[in-house]
Coordinates of all heavy atoms in Angstrom, one line a residue:
M1 N -59.8 -33.3 -74.5 CA -61.2 -32.9 -74.2 C -61.3 -31.4 -73.9 O -60.4 -30.8 -73.4 CB -61.6 -33.8 -73.0 CG -63.1 -33.8 -72.7 SD -64.1 -34.2 -74.1 CE -65.7 -33.4 -73.7
N2 N -62.4 -30.9 -74.3 CA -62.6 -29.4 -74.1 C -62.8 -29.1 -72.7 O -63.4 -29.8 -71.9 CB -63.7 -28.9 -75.0 CG -65.0 -29.5 -74.6 OD1 -65.1 -30.6 -74.1 ND2 -66.1 -28.8 -74.9
K3 N -62.3 -28.0 -72.3 CA -62.4 -27.5 -70.9 C -63.8 -26.9 -70.8 O -64.1 -25.8 -71.3 CB -61.4 -26.4 -70.5 CG -60.0 -27.1 -70.3 CD -59.0 -26.0 -69.9 CE -57.7 -26.7 -69.8 NZ -56.6 -25.8 -69.7
L4 N -64.7 -27.7 -70.1 CA -66.1 -27.3 -70.0 C -66.8 -27.1 -71.4 O -66.9 -28.1 -72.2 CB -66.3 -26.1 -69.1 CG -66.9 -26.5 -67.8 CD1 -65.9 -27.3 -67.0 CD2 -67.4 -25.3 -67.0
F5 N -67.1 -25.9 -71.8 CA -67.9 -25.7 -73.0 C -67.1 -25.5 -74.3 O -67.6 -25.6 -75.4 CB -68.9 -24.5 -72.8 CG -69.8 -24.7 -71.7 CD1 -69.7 -24.0 -70.5 CD2 -70.8 -25.7 -71.7 CE1 -70.6 -24.1 -69.5 CE2 -71.7 -25.9 -70.7 CZ -71.6 -25.1 -69.6
M6 N -65.8 -25.1 -74.1 CA -65.1 -24.7 -75.3 C -63.6 -25.0 -75.2 O -63.1 -25.2 -74.1 CB -65.3 -23.2 -75.5 CG -64.8 -22.3 -74.4 SD -64.8 -20.6 -74.7 CE -66.6 -20.3 -74.9
S7 N -63.0 -25.0 -76.4 CA -61.5 -25.2 -76.4 C -60.8 -23.8 -76.1 O -61.5 -22.8 -76.2 CB -61.1 -25.6 -77.8 OG -61.4 -24.7 -78.7
C8 N -59.5 -23.9 -75.8 CA -58.8 -22.7 -75.6 C -58.8 -21.8 -76.8 O -58.8 -20.6 -76.7 CB -57.3 -23.0 -75.2 SG -57.2 -23.7 -73.5
E9 N -58.7 -22.4 -78.0 CA -58.7 -21.7 -79.2 C -60.0 -20.8 -79.3 O -60.0 -19.7 -79.7 CB -58.6 -22.7 -80.4 CG -58.1 -22.0 -81.6 CD -57.9 -23.1 -82.7 OE1 -59.0 -23.6 -83.1 OE2 -56.8 -23.3 -83.2
E10 N -61.1 -21.5 -79.0 CA -62.4 -20.8 -79.1 C -62.5 -19.7 -78.1 O -63.0 -18.6 -78.3 CB -63.6 -21.8 -78.9 CG -64.9 -21.3 -79.5 CD -66.1 -22.2 -79.2 OE1 -65.8 -23.4 -78.8 OE2 -67.2 -21.7 -79.2
A11 N -62.0 -20.0 -76.9 CA -62.0 -19.0 -75.8 C -61.2 -17.8 -76.2 O -61.7 -16.6 -76.0 CB -61.4 -19.6 -74.5
S12 N -60.1 -18.0 -76.8 CA -59.3 -16.8 -77.2 C -60.0 -16.0 -78.3 O -59.9 -14.8 -78.3 CB -57.9 -17.4 -77.7 OG -57.4 -16.7 -78.8
H13 N -60.7 -16.7 -79.2 CA -61.4 -16.1 -80.2 C -62.6 -15.2 -79.7 O -62.7 -14.0 -80.1 CB -62.0 -17.1 -81.2 CG -62.8 -16.5 -82.3 ND1 -62.2 -15.8 -83.3 CD2 -64.1 -16.6 -82.7 CE1 -63.1 -15.4 -84.2 NE2 -64.3 -15.9 -83.8
I14 N -63.3 -15.7 -78.7 CA -64.4 -15.0 -78.0 C -63.8 -13.8 -77.3 O -64.4 -12.7 -77.3 CB -65.2 -15.9 -77.1 CG1 -66.1 -16.8 -78.0 CG2 -66.1 -15.1 -76.2 CD1 -66.8 -17.9 -77.3
C15 N -62.6 -14.0 -76.6 CA -62.0 -12.9 -75.9 C -61.7 -11.8 -76.8 O -61.9 -10.6 -76.5 CB -60.7 -13.5 -75.3 SG -59.9 -12.3 -74.2
D16 N -61.2 -12.1 -78.0 CA -60.9 -11.0 -79.0 C -62.2 -10.3 -79.5 O -62.3 -9.1 -79.6 CB -60.2 -11.6 -80.2 CG -58.8 -12.0 -79.9 OD1 -58.3 -11.6 -78.8 OD2 -58.2 -12.8 -80.6
K17 N -63.3 -11.1 -79.7 CA -64.5 -10.6 -80.1 C -65.1 -9.7 -79.0 O -65.7 -8.6 -79.3 CB -65.5 -11.7 -80.4 CG -65.4 -12.3 -81.8 CD -66.7 -12.7 -82.4 CE -67.3 -13.9 -81.7 NZ -68.5 -14.3 -82.4
A18 N -65.0 -10.1 -77.8 CA -65.5 -9.4 -76.6 C -64.9 -8.0 -76.5 O -65.5 -7.0 -76.1 CB -65.3 -10.2 -75.3
Q19 N -63.6 -8.0 -76.9 CA -62.9 -6.7 -76.9 C -63.6 -5.6 -77.8 O -63.6 -4.5 -77.5 CB -61.5 -7.0 -77.4 CG -60.5 -5.9 -77.0 CD -59.1 -6.2 -77.5 OE1 -58.8 -7.3 -77.9 NE2 -58.3 -5.2 -77.5
Y20 N -64.2 -6.1 -78.9 CA -64.9 -5.2 -79.8 C -66.4 -5.2 -79.6 O -67.1 -4.8 -80.5 CB -64.5 -5.5 -81.2 CG -63.0 -5.4 -81.5 CD1 -62.3 -6.6 -81.6 CD2 -62.4 -4.2 -81.5 CE1 -60.9 -6.5 -81.7 CE2 -61.0 -4.1 -81.7 CZ -60.3 -5.3 -81.8 OH -58.9 -5.2 -82.0
N21 N -66.8 -5.8 -78.5 CA -68.3 -5.9 -78.2 C -69.0 -6.7 -79.2 O -70.2 -6.4 -79.5 CB -68.9 -4.6 -77.9 CG -68.3 -3.9 -76.7 OD1 -68.1 -4.5 -75.7 ND2 -68.1 -2.6 -76.8
E22 N -68.4 -7.7 -79.8 CA -69.0 -8.4 -80.9 C -69.5 -9.8 -80.4 O -70.1 -10.6 -81.2 CB -68.1 -8.6 -82.1 CG -67.9 -7.4 -82.9 CD -66.8 -7.5 -83.9 OE1 -66.1 -8.5 -83.9 OE2 -66.6 -6.5 -84.6
S23 N -69.2 -10.1 -79.1 CA -69.6 -11.4 -78.6 C -71.0 -11.4 -78.1 O -71.5 -10.4 -77.6 CB -68.6 -11.9 -77.5 OG -68.7 -10.9 -76.5
T24 N -71.7 -12.6 -78.1 CA -73.0 -12.7 -77.6 C -73.0 -12.9 -76.1 O -71.9 -13.3 -75.6 CB -73.8 -13.8 -78.3 OG1 -73.1 -15.1 -77.9 CG2 -73.9 -13.7 -79.8
F25 N -74.1 -12.8 -75.4 CA -74.2 -13.0 -74.0 C -73.8 -14.5 -73.7 O -73.0 -14.7 -72.8 CB -75.6 -12.8 -73.5 CG -75.8 -13.1 -72.0 CD1 -75.3 -12.3 -71.0 CD2 -76.5 -14.3 -71.7 CE1 -75.4 -12.7 -69.7 CE2 -76.6 -14.7 -70.4 CZ -76.1 -13.9 -69.4
W26 N -74.3 -15.4 -74.5 CA -74.0 -16.8 -74.3 C -72.5 -17.1 -74.4 O -71.9 -17.8 -73.7 CB -74.8 -17.7 -75.2 CG -74.5 -19.1 -75.2 CD1 -74.2 -19.9 -76.2 CD2 -74.6 -20.0 -74.0 NE1 -74.0 -21.2 -75.8 CE2 -74.2 -21.3 -74.5 CE3 -74.9 -19.8 -72.7 CZ2 -74.2 -22.4 -73.6 CZ3 -74.8 -20.9 -71.8 CH2 -74.5 -22.2 -72.3
E27 N -71.9 -16.5 -75.4 CA -70.4 -16.6 -75.7 C -69.6 -16.1 -74.5 O -68.7 -16.8 -74.0 CB -70.0 -15.9 -76.9 CG -70.3 -16.6 -78.2 CD -69.9 -15.9 -79.5 OE1 -69.9 -14.6 -79.4 OE2 -69.6 -16.5 -80.5
R28 N -70.0 -15.0 -74.0 CA -69.3 -14.4 -72.8 C -69.5 -15.3 -71.6 O -68.5 -15.4 -70.8 CB -69.8 -13.0 -72.5 CG -69.3 -12.0 -73.5 CD -69.5 -10.5 -73.0 NE -70.8 -10.2 -72.8 CZ -71.6 -9.6 -73.7 NH1 -71.2 -9.4 -74.9 NH2 -72.9 -9.3 -73.4
L29 N -70.7 -15.8 -71.4 CA -70.9 -16.7 -70.3 C -70.1 -18.0 -70.4 O -69.5 -18.4 -69.4 CB -72.4 -17.1 -70.3 CG -72.9 -17.8 -69.0 CD1 -73.1 -16.8 -67.9 CD2 -74.2 -18.5 -69.2
K30 N -70.0 -18.6 -71.5 CA -69.2 -19.8 -71.7 C -67.7 -19.4 -71.5 O -67.0 -20.2 -70.9 CB -69.3 -20.3 -73.2 CG -70.6 -21.0 -73.4 CD -70.5 -21.9 -74.6 CE -70.4 -21.1 -75.9 NZ -70.3 -22.0 -77.1
F31 N -67.3 -18.2 -72.0 CA -65.9 -17.8 -71.8 C -65.6 -17.6 -70.3 O -64.5 -18.1 -69.9 CB -65.7 -16.5 -72.6 CG -64.3 -15.9 -72.4 CD1 -63.2 -16.5 -73.0 CD2 -64.1 -14.8 -71.6 CE1 -62.0 -16.0 -72.9 CE2 -62.8 -14.3 -71.5 CZ -61.8 -14.9 -72.1
R32 N -66.5 -17.0 -69.6 CA -66.2 -16.8 -68.2 C -66.1 -18.1 -67.4 O -65.2 -18.2 -66.6 CB -67.4 -16.0 -67.6 CG -67.5 -14.6 -68.1 CD -67.6 -13.5 -66.9 NE -67.3 -12.2 -67.4 CZ -66.2 -11.6 -67.3 NH1 -65.2 -12.1 -66.7 NH2 -66.0 -10.4 -67.8
T33 N -66.9 -19.1 -67.8 CA -66.8 -20.4 -67.2 C -65.5 -21.0 -67.5 O -64.9 -21.6 -66.7 CB -68.0 -21.3 -67.7 OG1 -69.2 -20.5 -67.6 CG2 -68.1 -22.5 -66.8
H34 N -65.1 -20.9 -68.8 CA -63.8 -21.5 -69.2 C -62.6 -20.9 -68.5 O -61.8 -21.7 -68.0 CB -63.6 -21.2 -70.7 CG -62.4 -21.8 -71.3 ND1 -62.2 -23.0 -71.8 CD2 -61.1 -21.2 -71.4 CE1 -61.0 -23.2 -72.2 NE2 -60.3 -22.1 -71.9
I35 N -62.6 -19.6 -68.3 CA -61.4 -19.0 -67.6 C -61.4 -19.3 -66.1 O -60.4 -19.2 -65.5 CB -61.2 -17.5 -67.9 CG1 -62.4 -16.7 -67.4 CG2 -61.0 -17.2 -69.4 CD1 -62.1 -15.2 -67.4
L36 N -62.5 -19.8 -65.6 CA -62.5 -20.2 -64.2 C -61.6 -21.4 -64.0 O -61.0 -21.6 -63.0 CB -63.9 -20.6 -63.7 CG -64.8 -19.4 -63.3 CD1 -66.2 -20.0 -62.9 CD2 -64.3 -18.7 -62.1
F37 N -61.5 -22.2 -65.1 CA -60.8 -23.5 -65.0 C -59.5 -23.4 -65.8 O -58.7 -24.4 -65.8 CB -61.6 -24.7 -65.5 CG -62.9 -24.8 -64.6 CD1 -64.1 -24.2 -64.9 CD2 -62.8 -25.6 -63.5 CE1 -65.2 -24.4 -64.1 CE2 -63.9 -25.8 -62.7 CZ -65.1 -25.2 -63.0
C38 N -59.3 -22.4 -66.5 CA -58.1 -22.3 -67.4 C -57.3 -21.1 -67.2 O -57.7 -20.0 -67.5 CB -58.6 -22.4 -68.9 SG -57.2 -22.3 -70.0
G39 N -56.1 -21.3 -66.5 CA -55.3 -20.2 -66.1 C -54.7 -19.4 -67.3 O -54.5 -18.2 -67.3
L40 N -54.4 -20.2 -68.4 CA -53.8 -19.7 -69.6 C -54.7 -18.6 -70.2 O -54.3 -17.5 -70.6 CB -53.5 -20.8 -70.5 CG -52.2 -20.6 -71.3 CD1 -51.0 -21.0 -70.5 CD2 -52.3 -21.5 -72.6
C41 N -56.0 -19.0 -70.4 CA -57.0 -18.1 -71.0 C -57.3 -17.0 -70.1 O -57.6 -15.9 -70.6 CB -58.2 -18.9 -71.4 SG -58.0 -20.0 -72.8
K42 N -57.3 -17.2 -68.8 CA -57.5 -16.1 -67.8 C -56.4 -15.1 -68.0 O -56.7 -13.9 -68.0 CB -57.5 -16.7 -66.4 CG -58.1 -15.8 -65.4 CD -58.1 -16.5 -64.0 CE -58.6 -15.5 -63.0 NZ -58.6 -16.1 -61.6
K43 N -55.2 -15.5 -68.1 CA -54.1 -14.5 -68.3 C -54.3 -13.8 -69.6 O -54.1 -12.6 -69.7 CB -52.8 -15.3 -68.3 CG -51.6 -14.3 -68.1 CD -50.3 -15.0 -68.3 CE -49.1 -14.0 -68.3 NZ -49.2 -13.0 -69.3
H44 N -54.6 -14.5 -70.7 CA -54.8 -13.9 -72.0 C -55.9 -12.9 -71.9 O -55.8 -11.8 -72.5 CB -55.2 -15.0 -73.0 CG -55.5 -14.5 -74.3 ND1 -54.6 -14.0 -75.2 CD2 -56.7 -14.3 -75.0 CE1 -55.2 -13.6 -76.3 NE2 -56.5 -13.8 -76.2
S45 N -57.0 -13.2 -71.2 CA -58.1 -12.3 -71.0 C -57.7 -11.0 -70.3 O -58.1 -9.9 -70.6 CB -59.3 -13.0 -70.3 OG -60.2 -12.1 -69.9
A46 N -56.9 -11.2 -69.2 CA -56.5 -10.1 -68.4 C -55.6 -9.1 -69.2 O -55.7 -7.9 -69.2 CB -55.7 -10.6 -67.2
D47 N -54.7 -9.7 -70.0 CA -53.8 -8.9 -70.9 C -54.6 -8.2 -71.9 O -54.4 -7.0 -72.1 CB -52.8 -9.8 -71.6 CG -51.8 -10.4 -70.7 OD1 -51.7 -9.9 -69.5 OD2 -51.1 -11.3 -71.1
N48 N -55.6 -8.9 -72.5 CA -56.5 -8.3 -73.5 C -57.3 -7.1 -72.8 O -57.5 -6.0 -73.5 CB -57.5 -9.3 -74.0 CG -57.5 -9.4 -75.5 OD1 -57.1 -8.4 -76.1 ND2 -58.0 -10.5 -76.0
H49 N -57.7 -7.3 -71.6 CA -58.5 -6.3 -70.9 C -57.7 -5.0 -70.7 O -58.2 -3.9 -70.9 CB -59.0 -6.9 -69.6 CG -59.9 -5.9 -68.9 ND1 -61.2 -5.7 -69.3 CD2 -59.8 -5.2 -67.7 CE1 -61.8 -4.8 -68.5 NE2 -60.9 -4.5 -67.5
K50 N -56.5 -5.3 -70.3 CA -55.5 -4.1 -70.0 C -55.4 -3.3 -71.3 O -55.4 -2.1 -71.3 CB -54.2 -4.7 -69.5 CG -54.1 -4.8 -68.0 CD -52.7 -5.2 -67.7 CE -52.7 -6.3 -66.6 NZ -51.4 -7.1 -66.5
L51 N -55.2 -4.0 -72.4 CA -55.0 -3.4 -73.7 C -56.2 -2.6 -74.1 O -56.1 -1.4 -74.5 CB -54.7 -4.5 -74.8 CG -54.1 -4.0 -76.1 CD1 -52.6 -3.7 -75.9 CD2 -54.3 -5.1 -77.1
T52 N -57.4 -3.2 -73.9 CA -58.7 -2.5 -74.2 C -58.8 -1.3 -73.4 O -59.2 -0.2 -73.9 CB -59.9 -3.5 -74.0 OG1 -59.6 -4.7 -74.6 CG2 -61.1 -2.9 -74.5
E53 N -58.5 -1.4 -72.1 CA -58.6 -0.2 -71.2 C -57.7 0.9 -71.6 O -58.0 2.1 -71.6 CB -58.3 -0.6 -69.7 CG -59.4 -1.4 -69.1 CD -60.7 -0.6 -69.0 OE1 -60.7 0.5 -68.5 OE2 -61.7 -1.2 -69.5
A54 N -56.5 0.5 -72.0 CA -55.5 1.5 -72.5 C -56.0 2.2 -73.7 O -55.8 3.4 -73.8 CB -54.1 0.8 -72.8
I55 N -56.6 1.5 -74.6 CA -57.1 2.1 -75.9 C -58.3 3.0 -75.5 O -58.4 4.1 -76.0 CB -57.6 1.0 -76.8 CG1 -56.4 0.2 -77.4 CG2 -58.4 1.5 -78.0 CD1 -56.7 -1.1 -78.1
K56 N -59.2 2.5 -74.6 CA -60.3 3.4 -74.2 C -59.8 4.7 -73.6 O -60.3 5.7 -73.9 CB -61.1 2.6 -73.1 CG -62.3 1.8 -73.6 CD -63.1 1.3 -72.5 CE -63.9 0.1 -72.8 NZ -64.4 -0.6 -71.6
Q57 N -58.8 4.6 -72.7 CA -58.2 5.7 -72.0 C -57.7 6.8 -73.1 O -58.0 7.9 -73.0 CB -57.1 5.4 -71.1 CG -57.5 4.6 -69.8 CD -58.4 5.4 -68.9 OE1 -58.2 6.7 -68.8 NE2 -59.3 4.8 -68.2
S58 N -57.0 6.2 -74.1 CA -56.4 7.2 -75.1 C -57.5 7.8 -75.9 O -57.4 8.9 -76.3 CB -55.4 6.4 -75.9 OG -56.1 5.5 -76.8
K59 N -58.6 7.1 -76.1 CA -59.8 7.6 -76.9 C -60.4 8.7 -76.1 O -60.8 9.7 -76.6 CB -60.8 6.5 -77.2 CG -60.5 5.8 -78.5 CD -61.6 4.8 -78.8 CE -61.2 4.0 -80.0 NZ -62.0 2.8 -80.2
I60 N -60.5 8.5 -74.7 CA -61.2 9.5 -73.9 C -60.3 10.8 -73.9 O -60.9 11.9 -74.0 CB -61.3 9.0 -72.4 CG1 -62.4 7.9 -72.4 CG2 -61.6 10.1 -71.4 CD1 -62.5 7.1 -71.1
V61 N -59.0 10.7 -73.9 CA -58.1 11.8 -73.9 C -58.3 12.6 -75.2 O -58.5 13.8 -75.2 CB -56.7 11.4 -73.7 CG1 -55.7 12.6 -74.0 CG2 -56.4 10.9 -72.3
C62 N -58.4 11.8 -76.3 CA -58.7 12.4 -77.7 C -60.0 13.2 -77.7 O -60.0 14.4 -78.1 CB -58.7 11.4 -78.7 SG -57.1 10.9 -79.3
L63 N -61.0 12.6 -77.2 CA -62.3 13.2 -77.2 C -62.3 14.5 -76.3 O -62.9 15.5 -76.7 CB -63.4 12.2 -76.6 CG -64.3 11.5 -77.6 CD1 -65.1 10.5 -76.9 CD2 -65.2 12.5 -78.3
D64 N -61.6 14.3 -75.2 CA -61.6 15.5 -74.3 C -61.0 16.7 -74.9 O -61.5 17.8 -74.7 CB -60.9 15.1 -73.0 CG -61.9 14.7 -71.9 OD1 -63.1 14.6 -72.2 OD2 -61.4 14.5 -70.8
S65 N -59.8 16.5 -75.5 CA -59.1 17.7 -76.1 C -60.0 18.3 -77.2 O -60.0 19.5 -77.4 CB -57.7 17.3 -76.6 OG -57.8 16.4 -77.6
K66 N -60.7 17.4 -77.9 CA -61.5 17.9 -79.0 C -62.7 18.7 -78.4 O -63.0 19.8 -78.9 CB -62.1 16.7 -79.8 CG -62.5 17.1 -81.2 CD -63.1 15.9 -82.0 CE -63.7 16.3 -83.2 NZ -64.5 15.3 -83.9
T67 N -63.3 18.2 -77.4 CA -64.4 18.9 -76.7 C -64.0 20.2 -76.2 O -64.6 21.2 -76.3 CB -65.0 18.0 -75.6 OG1 -65.2 16.7 -76.1 CG2 -66.3 18.5 -75.0
K68 N -62.7 20.2 -75.6 CA -62.2 21.4 -75.0 C -62.0 22.5 -76.1 O -62.4 23.6 -75.8 CB -60.8 21.1 -74.4 CG -60.9 20.7 -72.9 CD -59.5 20.5 -72.4 CE -59.5 19.5 -71.2 NZ -58.2 19.0 -70.9
S69 N -61.5 22.1 -77.2 CA -61.3 23.1 -78.3 C -62.7 23.6 -78.8 O -62.8 24.8 -79.1 CB -60.5 22.6 -79.4 OG -61.2 21.7 -80.2
E70 N -63.7 22.7 -78.8 CA -65.0 23.1 -79.2 C -65.6 24.1 -78.3 O -66.2 25.1 -78.6 CB -65.9 21.9 -79.3 CG -65.7 21.0 -80.5 CD -66.1 21.6 -81.8 OE1 -67.1 22.4 -81.9 OE2 -65.5 21.2 -82.8
M71 N -65.4 23.8 -77.0 CA -65.9 24.7 -75.9 C -65.2 26.1 -76.0 O -65.9 27.1 -75.8 CB -65.7 24.0 -74.5 CG -66.7 23.0 -74.2 SD -66.3 22.1 -72.7 CE -66.6 23.3 -71.4
K72 N -63.9 26.0 -76.3 CA -63.2 27.3 -76.4 C -63.7 28.1 -77.5 O -63.9 29.3 -77.4 CB -61.7 27.0 -76.6 CG -60.8 28.1 -76.1 CD -59.3 27.7 -76.5 CE -58.5 29.0 -76.4 NZ -57.3 28.9 -77.2
K73 N -64.0 27.5 -78.6 CA -64.6 28.2 -79.8 C -65.9 28.8 -79.4 O -66.2 30.0 -79.8 CB -64.8 27.2 -81.0 CG -63.6 27.2 -82.0 CD -64.0 26.3 -83.1 CE -62.8 25.6 -83.7 NZ -63.2 24.5 -84.5
C74 N -66.8 28.1 -78.8 CA -68.1 28.5 -78.4 C -67.9 29.7 -77.4 O -68.7 30.7 -77.6 CB -68.8 27.4 -77.7 SG -69.6 26.3 -78.8
L75 N -67.0 29.6 -76.5 CA -66.8 30.7 -75.5 C -66.3 32.0 -76.2 O -66.8 33.1 -75.9 CB -65.7 30.2 -74.5 CG -65.8 30.9 -73.1 CD1 -67.0 30.2 -72.4 CD2 -64.5 30.7 -72.4
E76 N -65.4 31.8 -77.1 CA -64.9 33.0 -77.9 C -66.0 33.6 -78.7 O -66.1 34.8 -78.8 CB -63.7 32.5 -78.8 CG -62.4 32.4 -78.0 CD -61.3 31.7 -78.8 OE1 -61.6 31.2 -80.0 OE2 -60.2 31.5 -78.3
Q77 N -66.8 32.8 -79.3 CA -68.0 33.3 -80.1 C -68.9 34.1 -79.2 O -69.4 35.1 -79.5 CB -68.7 32.1 -80.7 CG -69.6 32.5 -81.8 CD -68.9 33.2 -83.0 OE1 -67.9 32.7 -83.5 NE2 -69.5 34.3 -83.4
E78 N -69.2 33.5 -78.0 CA -70.1 34.2 -77.0 C -69.5 35.5 -76.6 O -70.2 36.5 -76.6 CB -70.2 33.3 -75.8 CG -71.2 32.2 -75.9 CD -72.7 32.7 -76.2 OE1 -73.1 33.6 -75.5 OE2 -73.3 32.2 -77.1
L79 N -68.2 35.6 -76.4 CA -67.6 36.8 -76.0 C -67.7 37.9 -77.1 O -67.9 39.1 -76.9 CB -66.1 36.6 -75.6 CG -65.9 35.9 -74.3 CD1 -64.4 35.5 -74.2 CD2 -66.3 36.8 -73.1
K80 N -67.5 37.4 -78.4 CA -67.6 38.3 -79.5 C -69.0 38.9 -79.6 O -69.2 40.1 -79.8 CB -67.3 37.6 -80.8 CG -65.8 37.6 -81.2 CD -65.6 36.9 -82.5 CE -64.2 36.5 -82.7 NZ -64.0 35.6 -83.9
N81 N -70.0 38.0 -79.4 CA -71.4 38.4 -79.5 C -71.7 39.5 -78.4 O -72.5 40.4 -78.7 CB -72.3 37.2 -79.3 CG -72.3 36.3 -80.6 OD1 -71.9 36.7 -81.6 ND2 -72.8 35.1 -80.4
Q82 N -71.1 39.3 -77.3 CA -71.4 40.2 -76.2 C -70.8 41.6 -76.4 O -71.4 42.6 -76.0 CB -70.8 39.6 -74.9 CG -71.8 38.6 -74.2 CD -71.3 38.1 -72.9 OE1 -70.3 38.6 -72.3 NE2 -72.0 37.1 -72.4
K83 N -69.7 41.6 -77.1 CA -69.1 42.9 -77.4 C -69.9 43.7 -78.4 O -69.9 44.9 -78.4 CB -67.7 42.7 -78.0 CG -66.6 42.5 -76.9 CD -65.3 42.2 -77.5 CE -64.3 41.7 -76.5 NZ -63.1 41.1 -77.1
L84 N -70.6 43.0 -79.3 CA -71.4 43.7 -80.4 C -72.6 44.3 -79.8 O -73.2 43.9 -78.9 CB -71.8 42.7 -81.5 CG -70.6 42.2 -82.4 CD1 -71.0 41.1 -83.3 CD2 -70.0 43.4 -83.2
Ligands
ZN1 ZN1 -58.3 -22.1 -72.1

């Protein structure tokens, strides 16, 4: 019998979709209810969340260094303009 609204298989599928913001509000709500009663999916979700956070963090670092080099270019350009 399914644990409340969905099977573990479906829960894991929604968890993966949620990672890419592809899940609907209703799916996330059902998923949250499921993991309240299912330790296995709760663990899977936590692991998935950690992975997503790690990816997000690395993306922020990438963006930051790019922004930094853009800012440096702008600053150098400004300095050149001031000299002229
Ligand atoms: Zn489950």
